[in-house]
Amino acid sequence: QNLKCVTQSLCKMVCTWDVSSKGKHGQTDFCYTTNDILPAVCFKTKEKRVEIPVPESSTMVTITMNSISGTAFATKEFEIHRKDISFVPLTPRILSLTPDFSTSTLTVKWSVNGSVFPYGLDTFWQIEILRKEAMEKVAQVTYYSKPTHEDIILSWNWTSDMPLECTSHYVKIRCYINVTQFAGPKDWSDWSPTEKVPGKDTEPNGSGVFPQDTVVAVGSDVTICCVHEEGEVIQRMTYGSEVYPMIRLSNRSSAIRVLNASASDTSGTNVLCILLPEDMHGTVLFVGYAPDIPQNLSCETSNFLIIKCTWKPGRPSGLYGKRKTKYSLFERTSGKNVSCEVNEMNKDSVCGFPVLADQKIYDFVLGVSNPIGQTESSLLVDLTQRVCPKAPEKLTVSGSSSTSAHLRWFINGSFAGIRLLCQTEISSGHSERKLHNVSMPGGKFTTYTTQLNALHPYTKYQFRVRCSAADHFWKWSDWSRIEEHTTLEA
Amino acid sequence: MAAADSPSAALRRHDLCTRGIRLAGKMRADVVDLLDTYVEQQGLDASVSVTAVEGVPAAAVERWDEQTGTQRLLENLAAYRAFRALLAQMLEEQQEQLGEADAALGPALAAVLLQVSAFAYHLEELLRLESRGPPSEEGAGPPPLSHLGLFERKLRGLGVLRELAQWAVRSARDLRQLAKPSLGSSSAPGPAESP
């Protein structure tokens, strides 16, 4: 009775049946037809299970039960149609289950035997994650693939909502193949053998609070667990100064769930696990923000030696020391990368990049990252259009005439590639301030001069100078110091 | 000290002891303040209990009154050399964990470290008054922290500071003992003088 045939490869099928009579009996004669012409194929078996080819359309099966002495006592004939045969794929096998404790991620890899599996059929893989002593199901996902005839290894990642150290995690997998051309019922394969990632609560010296010293984003929901030794009891678990209700994971592990975590202090938020008798474990959680996209990125040079980039960092990350937000300046054309030393406490941020020989256009990418996230800001700049010289130095005024004066100053920088525009402010006691502009070829760490005429005789003047790029004005330098000079009497 | 003190040596030792007592008092006050800053900055509960910390010399001593002057000086010196290394390690840890966000704790730690260094030098001066002089520095410095989690390091720092505060008290008592005129630094006090 209940003859049932199942195929896993569309070529062979396994048929099983039940026997109603309880008594002892001998071997069974099993015969099946392959087609209408050829004679039936018969053989003896002790099992109630045989493997025979999958028929093109149908096959006649005759099962004869024999007594111990070999005399037939029961015979039954079945016609098995192709549509009666169930298709159940081969049970898959997990190749590897790899934990990444730092990210609480499990990576499952399993193989697909291309030669066995029908080529190019929609295949669904169901992956189940179980946890705790009671192996409670925590996740089930269906993964889709379309195998080719090659043997391939499929891989899937799952990130746990709790540190993998907290308790053991188990994974099993099964598959379903949508064999469109097969008329019979199709079913999921059996579950694969379960693979396990043991938690610290299974290790002799595994006690502690997990995650250890990790960084999470403000607003996160965080599960923190306390693994303790056999015989110890958790009296309470605190997050910051607050006691939290505990969730039992196993006889050596319990957890708390912190929802919508708020920003921690500079030294992080302490999580304590107070144990009886007389023990304590702890960890520190750093709760901060991913970096903001830098705003107002601007780059200029004051001396054609160093390019100074500034930007507004945006909201502070709340992370400090070795977890603080780090900045780097990458220049695409040259491929040069510079890491920037930025003080998180400052409002404005600055980074220096060396001026490169024979390079005028700079394609900057300011990269920003901290343990929570990363972002970037970019800027394309023609350096000759971003010149803001230093304030002119060593301004001297000379002249042995009653109506003119000769000014001389020094600018710290190498401006040989551009023209400079310098402006002199002329003021004297009672008269209105006048401005005198002069442009001149830039030089390399050199002094510049100009001649001022049409001055009043025997008059005390105050002069100061500032400069900028002549061709593409960007910014004026600061003013030089004021220099006084009195013209001669007429 | 085998031979009786010459008057100038006795005067010098008394002077060093007196100044040492003042330095120990100042150090204790600063360490107590530092403890408050540390507990607050590290988000700890001031009453949290800390088990004995590896590498931190214990201030408590049995039969304190039976110690010779030399033993007192040597034990003090060993302790403050250890604290000098421990505080330097804590300072480095602070810099790594907080960087520029640490406006209070780092400077306060550095200030106490200076005092501990000065006190160690002071003890070496006292030992120089004896014929033997201070022992050379040995030992591999404090145990590394890498195997400890951040919370354990916070507790450890608390343990170091608490013990240092205890040592400051003990040092003042030791130096008072040494400052007593009848005592050479190497002789133990007679029963009549035990506190």
Side-chain angles (χ1 to χ4, degrees), chain A residues 213 266-267 270 322-323 343, chain B residues 41-42 96-97 150 154:
Chain A
D213 309 336
T266 53
S267 64
N270 297 330
K322 61 181 183 180
R323 285 166 290 275
N343 183 331
Chain B
Q41 165 95 64
Q42 301 289 28
E96 185 190 354
Q97 295 301 336
L150 281 183
K154 287 186 176 185

Side-chain angles (χ1 to χ4, degrees), chain A residues 45-46 168 171 217 292 340 352 377 383 393 408 418 427:
Chain A
T45 177
K46 286 185 182 137
S168 298
V171 179
D292 266 353
C340 311
S377 200
L383 200 54
E393 304 165 29
R408 185 187 185 84
I418 63 168
S427 47

Side-chain angles (χ1 to χ4, degrees), chain A residues 86-121:
Chain A
S86 301
F87 173 75
V88 175
L90 278 167
T91 306
R93 194 171 52 80
I94 293 176
L95 275 182
S96 65
L97 175 59
T98 314
D100 177 345
F101 289 97
S102 65
T103 58
S104 303
T105 302
L106 291 175
T107 300
V108 189
K109 288 188 190 301
W110 68 97
S111 59
V112 177
N113 186 336
S115 55
V116 169
F117 272 83
Y119 167 58
L121 289 173

Side-chain angles (χ1 to χ4, degrees), chain A residues 292-300 307-314 327-332 340 342 348-353 362-368 375-381 386 474-475:
Chain A
D292 266 353
I293 297 175
Q295 302 299 315
N296 309 348
L297 176 59
S298 168
C299 298
E300 65 185 41
I307 302 167
K308 185 181 83 171
C309 293
T310 58
W311 64 89
K312 296 274 184 204
Y327 295 84
S328 66
L329 205 50
F330 173 69
E331 203 283 316
R332 286 198 182 102
C340 311
V342 175
D348 290 335
S349 305
V350 182
C351 192
F353 189 92
Y362 290 78
D363 189 358
F364 284 123
V365 177
L366 178 66
V368 195
T375 186
E376 65 182 41
S377 200
S378 47
L379 176 71
L380 185 67
V381 61
R386 289 291 180 279
W474 166 244
K475 287 179 190 170

Side-chain angles (χ1 to χ4, degrees), chain A residues 30-46:
Chain A
F30 188 95
C31 297
Y32 67 92
T33 59
T34 54
N35 57 36
D36 300 341
I37 308 153
L38 292 176
V41 176
C42 295
F43 50 88
K44 289 184 179 298
T45 177
K46 286 185 182 137

Side-chain angles (χ1 to χ4, degrees), chain A residues 152-301:
Chain A
I152 53 172
I153 292 178
L154 295 177
S155 173
W156 176 70
N157 283 355
W158 175 72
T159 300
S160 172
D161 65 339
M162 95 171 41
L164 299 178
E165 296 96 334
C166 289
T167 193
S168 298
H169 287 72
Y170 308 86
V171 179
K172 60 185 180 180
I173 184 170
R174 66 179 177 175
C175 72
Y176 176 91
I177 300 175
N178 189 18
V179 194
T180 45
Q181 78 275 18
F182 183 73
K186 298 173 262 291
D187 203 350
W188 286 94
S189 73
D190 292 338
W191 285 105
S192 72
T194 302
E195 291 295 323
K196 172 182 178 181
V197 171
K200 289 279 189 188
D201 57 349
T202 62
E203 292 178 17
N205 299 308
S207 54
V209 178
F210 303 95
Q212 268 287 307
D213 309 336
T214 198
V215 182
V216 300
V218 168
S220 304
D221 297 341
V222 190
T223 300
I224 305 164
C225 69
C226 176
V227 176
H228 52 85
E229 295 309 318
E230 209 88 43
E232 286 187 324
V233 174
I234 301 178
Q235 188 182 21
R236 68 180 182 278
M237 283 182 75
T238 59
Y239 176 80
S241 54
E242 218 180 311
V243 179
Y244 269 69
M246 288 188 286
I247 307 155
R248 185 184 184 281
L249 302 179
S250 72
N251 67 331
R252 288 182 54 199
S253 179
S254 290
I256 59 173
R257 184 97 170 121
V258 176
L259 301 178
N260 191 18
S262 54
S264 54
D265 292 336
T266 53
S267 64
T269 303
N270 297 330
V271 185
L272 268 65
C273 177
I274 315 290
L275 294 149
L276 295 173
E278 192 68 31
D279 197 359
M280 174 170 57
H281 298 308
T283 188
V284 182
L285 194 70
F286 295 91
V287 188
Y289 294 96
D292 266 353
I293 297 175
Q295 302 299 315
N296 309 348
L297 176 59
S298 168
C299 298
E300 65 185 41
T301 184

